[in-house]
Amino acid sequence: MSRNIFFKTGLLVIGSLMILQFQNCSQLPAETTMSSQEMTVDHMDNDHGLPSTKPAVDYSPVLMDRWEVYSLLTDIFGPDSLAVQVNKNALEAIVKDMSVFGAPCSINDNYKTKNVTTGALANAPSADACSNSDTGVAMGAAIHPGGNVLRQGVLNNACRVLLDQAKTLDYALAQLKDAPADVLPLNSDANVLKLFRLFYRTQPLPAQSLVDSLKVIVGSPATKDGWKNAVYTTCVSSHWQVL
Amino acid sequence: MSHQENKSRRQFLENSIKSLSLLGVSSVLSNSIVQTLMESAHAAETVGVGSKKIYIYFSFDGGPPRWMFDLPLTPNGSSDLFTPGGFGTYVGTTNRSPEALHQPWQDPNSQLWLPPVWGSRPGGGAFNIVNNAFFIRGLDGEINNHEVNRMRNQAPILGGTSIAGSLSELMTVPFPAVVSNSIGSVFKATKPIAPVTVSYEVNGTNGANNPVSRVMSYFSGSKPIANPNILNALYEFDQYSKSIGVSQHTLRNSKDRADELLNKGVSAFTSQWSAVYTKYQNRIKEAMVDTNTSSFMSTQAIPLPPLGSDGNPDGRTTIGTNMFLANTMTDMRNLVQDTTTVNGMAATFATMEIMIVNGLTQIYTCSLDGLSNIKRDGGTATFGMANDQHFIGSLVSTIATTFYYRAILNCVEELVSVLKQKELFGDTVIQFGSEFNRNPKTIGTGSDHGPAGSSALVISGMIEKAVVIGNIRKDTNANSIGTWGLSAGHPATNNKPFRLNDVVKTVCALLGIENVSNNGEYLLANNGGGKWGRISGVKGEAKNVS
């Protein structure tokens, strides 16, 4: 019996070691031993340490640009998303920040302002301008950048502001109701999936675990705050930005 | 990691679970073991490798003279290849006539002869950071173009990956990189990483309109998510995105980083601004004051040169095209005063310090502007001096630019002392570059672009003793003969002059990233233990060659 246990323990240890061996997925930064004394004709830049296993193609999904994000949110939250100043500011932050959300910037961004008193023309502020930007950063903005912290910050803020306004919240919730006369959408799989579809327009439907997690937030019975939090969660989940 | 590898790994792990079950280990336990290992492996994949390196790049847009780096750097102290008089960095009087003399300063620690600005620390003595300085002279910039060569200091392959971009791919901090001014446009990574852009208009010392507050304003008003149900649902969304194969790991990282910032509290960063900004304003101010300047400027009054026989001002008082100091200035030591400053420099350093020491970023590239508020006459008239100087060699340029570099060194010294306190300097690389240096005219009235005689500077905690490398040869051009010299061939680069590729390759090695130039040679030796130093033998030489 003890021999059996010893044998099984040994196999367990060997098995665990094999698993650990297979976990080496992350690449270390190119470790280099630098000395020009070592230079030979055959010396290559990356001939140091363990061989690199970079894939030939590194696939990175493309994200919506600033206009796509802006359009989607105004569609979800309705006309008051632009009619109310605080909402408008939050949404315009998405459009203005080219380096955060990506360009391309448009020649229409190179506008001029006119002083109403003197009539003098001035270039658009460099923060807004495209090719007229003083720093060239707007021109250098990636067409489709990846996620970044500032993008998430702007998105978090836009979601929060839009949901703090009654009209924009109600507009979004109205799209989830079973019937227009309902005060609130019922907490059901179908309505939660409608919420999902508000943001994730073309992606496959999610697993039940995601639906259940949103239903927990909505509450039973459903409350307005519950729905507000569910919409907020979906809004800041951010993966809907992937094209 | 590719999808194929992921699938193979999942299959392997599923098989492992079965194997563990066969060993008599309960399925719950075996699942737990394997999932724990999976999660940690996935965390390593998604969060990034997490480099500790800190990289700061200062670009001198416009190409100021290279005194900070090597002029008239003759490591053995001799100046036999240079025409005496007119091109030194010490300004004094000879027979009551002002002139710039060749008078280098010897670092007592390394025994190297260095530009005298290094021995002019406002508090007395030499700047401590000289012990961590790596002077690269004899650099052939190859291309005579402001914008192109400015960018090539970061990305030698035009349009290719930059040093900052490459390093940013290893970052796990909230902001992968921070950039400002024109050098920011050269940032490029192989992944779609966007740096944070800052600008430096500051509304007063306590103004809310400072770069840190503006960056943090993206998060003000938001609160960290504490509701566990919401956190669970967000986790489900992350799993969903992975399950449909459209997971964008930078999106997941950004969410985590944004949450981390909110948890730390925005005010924790913005509240530091006032004290740090004031500190750097004071560092600049004390550098502009006439104390411990004897290494580069006479302690006696320096009168203006007399007017020429044609009644025109002496060319050595040039401050711009057909512009001169007024002859009411009686002492050229008064050119720079405590109100002389560098536009945006205090804000640059303050932003840099706050963002780095608070772990907001580890990469910061910026451009430094020129001097402003330099006295022009015996009254109150002042002028500004851009880096794009075509009057190098004039006494005005010699004095004012030395104070400019003094202010920069004083601020860098302060930043380094903070980094040392936080035990960050050992992983820090601070690089200085410009599009080219200048070849002053023999008559001392001006200069032009001089890419063939360029230089660069690196300050790093990985370097423990001042190092100079690079050869200089005599400039035989009729206009600039015997002045600052040009790059010469060097044994480390197969008897060719150094190029930007060599500088970039060396910096990449210090940072532990792949070389972003397509070739180049290493200009430092790896001494092990994270330390770098002079290459031994002829490959580490720094000579003046005929």
Side-chain angles (χ1 to χ4, degrees):
Chain A
M1 185 68 172
S2 61
R3 202 170 162 187
N4 213 4
I5 293 171
F6 178 78
F7 175 70
K8 285 184 180 176
T9 306
L11 282 177
L12 173 63
V13 169
I14 292 169
S16 301
L17 286 172
M18 287 176 68
I19 291 169
L20 285 169
Q21 181 79 14
F22 202 81
Q23 295 305 314
N24 184 23
C25 302
S26 302
Q27 291 180 26
L28 295 170
E31 285 291 331
T32 46
T33 55
M34 309 308 124
S35 171
S36 54
Q37 311 293 347
E38 291 183 2
M39 296 301 297
T40 67
V41 172
D42 296 327
H43 185 89
M44 302 293 285
D45 269 345
N46 55 1
D47 272 353
H48 302 281
L50 295 172
S52 159
T53 56
K54 255 194 207 170
V57 174
D58 194 6
Y59 171 64
S60 186
V62 172
L63 300 183
M64 292 180 182
D65 68 18
R66 55 203 174 108
W67 290 112
E68 287 165 319
V69 174
Y70 175 90
S71 299
L72 182 70
L73 292 178
T74 50
D75 187 61
I76 292 170
F77 293 101
D80 285 301
S81 55
L82 295 176
V84 177
Q85 192 59 45
V86 64
N87 293 339
K88 189 167 182 243
N89 292 345
L91 284 170
E92 284 183 347
I94 294 170
V95 169
K96 279 184 179 177
D97 222 317
M98 288 175 227
S99 60
V100 171
F101 278 86
C105 49
S106 154
I107 59 169
N108 296 315
D109 291 331
N110 296 331
Y111 60 90
K112 287 186 185 291
T113 58
K114 186 174 180 179
N115 186 304
V116 294
T117 307
T118 65
L121 294 176
N123 285 333
S126 65
D128 295 345
C130 187
S131 58
N132 284 351
S133 164
D134 288 342
T135 65
V137 172
M139 279 291 281
I143 293 175
H144 285 290
N148 59 74
V149 181
L150 295 187
R151 181 180 184 128
Q152 187 67 44
V154 172
L155 189 64
N156 286 355
N157 191 54
C159 297
R160 178 184 58 80
V161 165
L162 290 164
L163 288 166
D164 276 347
Q165 301 292 316
K167 285 186 178 175
T168 38
L169 172 60
D170 289 344
Y171 188 94
L173 293 184
Q175 301 168 72
L176 312 182
K177 292 178 186 175
D178 294 307
D182 290 349
V183 173
L184 277 180
L186 290 175
N187 186 0
S188 65
D189 284 9
N191 289 340
V192 164
L193 284 172
K194 286 182 202 171
L195 165 59
F196 179 85
R197 269 282 172 254
L198 275 186
F199 291 88
Y200 294 82
R201 301 266 165 124
T202 59
Q203 289 89 338
L205 289 176
Q208 188 62 37
S209 57
L210 192 155
V211 175
D212 291 340
S213 67
L214 286 173
K215 287 173 73 178
V216 167
I217 296 172
V218 172
S220 182
T223 63
K224 193 162 189 183
D225 268 352
W227 273 115
K228 181 180 173 183
N229 284 336
V231 177
Y232 178 76
T233 304
T234 311
C235 190
V236 302
S237 68
S238 74
H239 297 290
W240 48 265
Q241 300 174 84
V242 177
L243 291 173
Chain B
M1 179 164 285
S2 69
H3 294 293
Q4 191 58 39
E5 284 176 290
N6 250 333
K7 195 177 162 190
S8 302
R9 187 161 71 130
R10 268 206 303 277
Q11 191 63 48
F12 178 90
L13 290 167
E14 282 167 10
N15 292 341
S16 301
I17 292 172
K18 287 180 194 163
S19 304
L20 287 171
S21 300
L22 286 172
L23 292 175
V25 178
S26 76
S27 59
V28 170
L29 180 59
S30 61
N31 240 324
S32 173
I33 292 170
V34 173
Q35 289 304 325
T36 302
L37 292 170
M38 259 190 88
E39 282 305 308
S40 63
H42 181 64
E45 177 231 327
T46 55
V47 175
V49 181
S51 169
K52 293 196 302 178
K53 300 297 184 187
I54 293 171
Y55 176 61
I56 298 169
Y57 179 71
F58 290 103
S59 174
F60 291 101
D61 294 359
R66 64 192 202 207
W67 289 311
M68 180 192 280
F69 310 135
D70 73 332
L71 174 73
L73 185 58
T74 52
N76 58 1
S78 72
S79 61
D80 48 305
L81 288 184
F82 302 96
T83 300
F87 306 102
T89 56
Y90 178 89
V91 178
T93 55
T94 303
N95 298 326
R96 296 186 189 172
S97 178
E99 57 179 340
L101 303 171
H102 179 79
Q103 189 170 302
W105 166 82
Q106 188 174 33
D107 170 32
N109 193 26
S110 65
Q111 301 296 303
L112 291 169
W113 291 90
L114 299 172
V117 69
W118 288 88
S120 69
R121 185 168 174 268
F127 285 102
N128 295 317
I129 48 177
V130 71
N131 296 317
N132 309 106
F134 174 37
F135 299 84
I136 305 161
R137 64 203 288 256
L139 181 61
D140 186 352
E142 297 181 283
I143 298 175
N144 185 9
N145 181 281
H146 280 284
E147 284 75 22
V148 168
N149 251 14
R150 185 181 313 154
M151 305 306 174
R152 287 182 64 237
N153 275 274
Q154 274 288 293
I157 302 173
L158 294 174
T161 310
S162 67
I163 300 174
S166 181
L167 184 61
S168 72
E169 297 178 24
L170 304 177
M171 291 293 114
T172 58
V173 287
F175 305 123
V178 175
V179 303
S180 64
N181 308 107
S182 65
I183 197 64
S185 60
V186 81
F187 179 95
K188 188 164 181 183
T190 61
K191 297 187 169 75
I193 294 173
V196 171
T197 305
V198 294
S199 56
Y200 298 114
E201 301 87 31
V202 177
N203 182 14
T205 306
N206 297 313
N209 187 29
N210 67 69
V212 177
S213 291
R214 280 204 297 279
V215 170
M216 290 300 143
S217 67
Y218 286 90
F219 305 92
S220 61
S222 297
K223 295 191 177 84
I225 297 173
N227 185 323
N229 296 329
I230 295 179
L231 291 171
N232 182 52
L234 288 173
Y235 170 78
E236 289 293 338
F237 273 109
D238 287 346
Q239 297 306 306
Y240 163 76
S241 72
K242 285 183 229 170
S243 71
I244 61 172
V246 292
S247 182
Q248 229 261 23
H249 89 267
T250 54
L251 266 184
R252 295 198 304 277
N253 289 354
S254 306
K255 227 162 16 67
D256 293 340
R257 294 177 193 185
D259 289 344
E260 187 191 325
L261 275 178
L262 292 173
N263 284 327
K264 283 184 180 175
V266 170
S267 64
F269 309 118
T270 59
S271 61
Q272 299 168 26
W273 172 262
S274 177
V276 179
Y277 178 60
T278 302
K279 177 177 72 169
Y280 283 105
Q281 283 184 309
N282 289 338
R283 289 294 171 273
I284 295 169
K285 189 177 281 198
E286 70 188 15
M288 299 300 180
V289 173
D290 189 10
T291 60
N292 194 27
T293 57
S294 58
S295 62
F296 65 85
M297 194 167 70
S298 172
T299 56
Q300 309 296 315
I302 304 173
L304 262 66
L307 295 176
S309 55
D310 55 4
N312 288 330
D314 188 291
R316 290 173 295 160
T317 62
T318 303
I319 62 174
T321 306
N322 295 323
M323 294 167 60
F324 305 89
L325 287 179
N327 59 9
T328 52
M329 176 165 282
T330 55
D331 185 355
M332 292 185 73
R333 294 180 304 162
N334 297 332
L335 270 174
V336 169
Q337 47 196 336
D338 62 358
T339 53
T340 304
T341 189
V342 182
N343 297 327
M345 191 155 91
T348 301
F349 276 91
T351 309
M352 191 182 291
E353 179 184 310
I354 291 171
M355 297 196 87
I356 290 175
V357 302
N358 283 290
L360 295 176
T361 192
Q362 287 168 227
I363 300 172
Y364 204 110
T365 69
C366 57
S367 302
L368 288 177
D369 209 342
L371 277 174
S372 62
N373 225 23
I374 307 169
K375 269 180 79 72
R376 187 175 177 180
D377 61 15
T380 57
T382 61
F383 69 100
M385 193 168 76
N387 286 338
D388 189 352
Q389 297 178 30
H390 283 265
F391 51 96
I392 303 302
S394 77
L395 296 174
V396 177
S397 168
T398 305
I399 293 173
T401 311
T402 305
F403 273 102
Y404 172 57
Y405 285 136
R406 190 178 186 225
I408 293 169
L409 288 179
N410 210 28
C411 288
V412 172
E413 181 118 319
E414 172 63 35
L415 176 67
V416 166
S417 74
V418 172
L419 292 174
K420 282 181 179 174
Q421 281 171 26
K422 304 288 181 185
E423 297 182 356
L424 297 174
F425 187 53
D427 289 307
T428 298
V429 176
I430 305 173
Q431 182 189 357
F432 301 80
S434 184
E435 42 256 44
F436 38 66
N437 292 124
R438 303 270 171 177
N439 292 338
K441 292 178 186 166
T442 311
I443 55 175
T445 59
S447 67
D448 209 333
H449 302 176
S454 295
S455 53
L457 175 69
V458 173
I459 293 175
S460 174
M462 292 177 254
I463 297 166
E464 293 182 304
K465 192 174 177 183
V467 178
V468 177
I469 193 170
N471 291 345
I472 299 281
R473 62 183 163 89
K474 194 168 185 174
D475 187 353
T476 56
N477 180 285
N479 282 332
S480 51
I481 189 168
T483 58
W484 295 359
L486 305 173
S487 53
H490 195 279
T493 47
N494 301 315
N495 293 320
K496 295 190 173 64
F498 295 153
R499 298 174 303 143
L500 285 171
N501 295 37
D502 305 310
V503 178
V504 168
K505 183 171 182 175
T506 305
V507 169
C508 288
L510 289 170
L511 294 171
I513 57 176
E514 284 193 32
N515 183 16
V516 300
S517 69
N518 55 0
N519 50 36
E521 306 292 339
Y522 301 114
L523 302 180
L524 280 173
N526 187 345
N527 294 333
K531 300 301 176 189
W532 299 72
R534 181 179 169 275
I535 301 171
S536 61
V538 295
K539 287 195 173 179
E541 71 181 24
K543 297 197 312 193
N544 297 336
V545 299
S546 55

